[in-house]
Amino acid sequence: MTLMDNIGSLAKRRGFIYPGSEIYGGIAGFWDYGPLGVELKNNIKREWWKSMVYARDDVVGLDAAIVMNPEVWEASGHMSSFTDPLVECKACHKRFRSDKPELLAAHEKEHKEKVEWTEPKIFNLLTEVLLGVTEPKMTAYLRGEITQGVFVNFRNVVDSSRVKVPFGVAQIGKAFRNEITPGNFTFRSREFEQMELEYFVRPDEKNASEVFEYWKQARMAWYLSLGMNKTKLRFREHEPEERAHYAKKAWDIEYEAPFGWSEFEGIHHRGDWDLSRHKLVYTDPETNEGYTPWVIETSGGVDRATLFFLIDAYVQEEKRIVLKLHSRLAPVKAAVFPLVSNKPDIVKKAREVYTLLKKHFVASWDDRGNIGKRYLSQDEIGTPWCLTIDYDTLGSDTVTVRDRDTTSQTRVNISQLQSYIQEKLGGTI
Ligand code: ATP
């Protein structure tokens, strides 16, 4: 089994990620997040929102609609430029992106004879939706990037809040792309989530470059602060021919996945591309000067981040599999075990502890099998602390707290448990 097989099997077995519509044979490029997956993904999004919105005075949030007036996509250039080149293998009719030579080379190896490819065809990635009940229906699009929702609301945000350039608008939401070759588990999906910041600055190259560099470093620091392994991360600058139609400059943050170095966040200098295409300007409230701000964007994929946090945390030790997720990302913070399930005093006490903790953290209850097996089960889903209520608890009001990473155990008074965990999590969750 490869590491990706192990991750896929753990994700399914323990309820992180399931193939979409599985009982009907699935559907390529769509995935469902199970009970633990939704917690992990929500924790990633919450940490992002806290650092990008709540911790700052210069960023506000937004949640725009997925379907927009189709004119938005004409103006933004996506109708003409949001495309990938598609080629088809003449022998087996499988389709690939011709700008991904590694995929073509891998496919050529599968055939014994030389592969002939069709001429590349340009293929638009926007997913069409038909709206209305009477014919002809209106063709609209599921958004291919969440970004445009921010630009079309630029004036609304400026008029309705107290932001002044420089400022940012943060958004998290679903995007859809008709990817030619979805694959590598959730890495390339047709439906996925993005977490993005559009940061508006004065049109000045020196200042924009400084802001660009600031966000580049800030985004890398965020992944490191949540425990991602530094040696698995790198920056990569896009070559001019690789850049999206809107980008003046683009750098990716890449992770060394089992399938190679792969982008999961982009930092883009979008210049005045979007605001000027939408004919939007800004008036400085102090000087009354009007201008088109430039945009520095950080665009991260929630699903790719979730996948890479999972891969990064996966450790196969001699006797156990451990997900060494940062405690703030762990789906369950604490598991509560009554040592035995047939002693009413112990079970009652354990229930009290469980009820107390559930008010503050995601906690889980397990009274099956022996304690060793319960530890193994929690290790595999990354629960940082396991609390056992035993005979001593009845006299001393203390419980055993076992640490996931070191497996060491300490006794903590029940009245101190909440602050003990809170402190280790670094404040509020
Ligand atoms: P790629 O070159 O891999 O197709 P991209 O350069 O087109 O990606 P962007 O348009 O910069 O990606 O999108 C920003 C982020 O959105 C990406 O860094 C990634 O995390 C996420 N993303 C883009 N496409 C997908 C997809 N098909 N599935 C999952 N996440 C995606």
Side-chain angles (χ1 to χ4, degrees), residues 22-133:
E22 198 185 8
I23 60 167
Y24 289 101
I27 172 165
F30 295 88
W31 298 89
D32 298 333
Y33 287 78
L36 295 180
V38 65
E39 296 300 333
L40 173 58
K41 200 150 80 111
N42 280 346
N43 290 344
I44 292 170
K45 290 190 279 184
R46 190 181 311 112
E47 288 301 316
W48 186 88
W49 196 266
K50 279 199 294 191
S51 84
M52 302 297 269
V53 183
Y54 297 153
R56 308 185 61 96
D57 291 330
D58 57 349
V59 175
V60 291
L62 183 88
D63 183 12
I66 288 175
V67 176
M68 306 171 84
N69 186 317
E71 283 180 34
V72 171
W73 303 108
E74 289 287 352
S76 68
H78 283 75
M79 293 308 297
S80 52
S81 308
F82 195 50
T83 54
D84 279 337
L86 175 151
V87 287
E88 192 173 297
C89 166
K90 287 191 178 171
C92 69
H93 304 291
K94 274 199 184 157
R95 291 168 168 186
F96 296 90
R97 272 171 68 172
S98 63
D99 60 343
K100 298 272 175 200
E102 66 285 2
L103 295 180
L104 301 186
H107 184 70
E108 286 181 354
K109 270 200 196 151
E110 282 175 26
H111 287 284
K112 299 224 165 58
E113 292 146 32
K114 177 148 176 34
V115 165
E116 269 194 69
W117 296 102
T118 58
E119 283 301 309
K121 265 199 257 163
I122 295 301
F123 178 85
N124 195 294
L125 293 171
L126 289 177
T127 315
E128 288 178 12
V129 279
L130 296 175
L131 301 178
V133 285

Side-chain angles (χ1 to χ4, degrees), residues 82 97 100 145 177 179 186-194 196 238 246 252 263-266 268 299-304:
F82 195 50
R97 272 171 68 172
K100 298 272 175 200
E145 57 170 26
R177 293 184 189 177
E179 294 280 358
T186 55
F187 178 79
R188 188 169 303 285
S189 305
R190 288 180 167 141
E191 171 177 343
F192 54 95
E193 244 176 319
Q194 294 184 310
E196 292 195 337
H238 279 207
Y246 52 74
D252 288 341
E263 163 191 349
F264 67 122
E265 172 144 356
H268 309 131
S299 174
V302 178
D303 308 80
R304 288 188 186 178

Side-chain angles (χ1 to χ4, degrees), residues 162-307:
R162 287 163 54 193
V163 290
K164 281 191 227 150
V165 168
F167 72 93
V169 178
Q171 187 179 206
I172 298 178
K174 293 262 186 176
F176 300 79
R177 293 184 189 177
N178 239 333
E179 294 280 358
I180 297 165
T181 41
N184 285 328
F185 199 17
T186 55
F187 178 79
R188 188 169 303 285
S189 305
R190 288 180 167 141
E191 171 177 343
F192 54 95
E193 244 176 319
Q194 294 184 310
M195 39 190 186
E196 292 195 337
L197 171 76
E198 309 304 321
Y199 198 81
F200 300 95
V201 296
R202 292 184 65 84
D204 169 280
E205 201 49 81
K206 184 169 172 289
N207 177 44
S209 291
E210 282 166 15
V211 173
F212 187 92
E213 194 53 32
Y214 167 83
W215 281 111
K216 214 175 112 199
Q217 299 305 333
R219 294 305 305 140
M220 178 66 97
W222 185 78
Y223 290 106
L224 293 172
S225 76
L226 288 170
M228 245 189 214
N229 182 345
K230 198 170 180 180
T231 64
K232 297 272 181 186
L233 290 168
R234 74 173 188 196
F235 285 117
R236 189 181 71 84
E237 183 173 17
H238 279 207
E239 299 296 335
E241 64 280 6
E242 253 187 289
R243 278 187 224 140
H245 60 277
Y246 52 74
K248 277 166 81 113
K249 184 157 79 170
W251 285 72
D252 288 341
I253 301 181
E254 294 189 333
Y255 183 82
E256 191 179 15
F259 44 87
W261 285 98
S262 310
E263 163 191 349
F264 67 122
E265 172 144 356
I267 295 94
H268 309 131
H269 184 337
R270 293 179 82 116
D272 67 358
W273 171 268
D274 303 275
L275 291 186
S276 56
R277 297 283 293 215
H278 295 304
K279 301 189 172 49
L280 291 161
V281 286
Y282 173 77
T283 308
D284 186 305
E286 266 119 52
T287 62
N288 255 347
E289 176 204 0
Y291 60 88
T292 308
W294 286 359
V295 174
I296 305 299
E297 166 185 76
T298 71
S299 174
V302 178
D303 308 80
R304 288 188 186 178
T306 305
L307 178 62

Side-chain angles (χ1 to χ4, degrees), residues 304-318:
R304 288 188 186 178
T306 305
L307 178 62
F308 292 159
F309 274 120
L310 272 177
I311 294 174
D312 204 60
Y314 186 94
V315 180
Q316 169 100 53
E317 291 181 357
E318 203 188 328

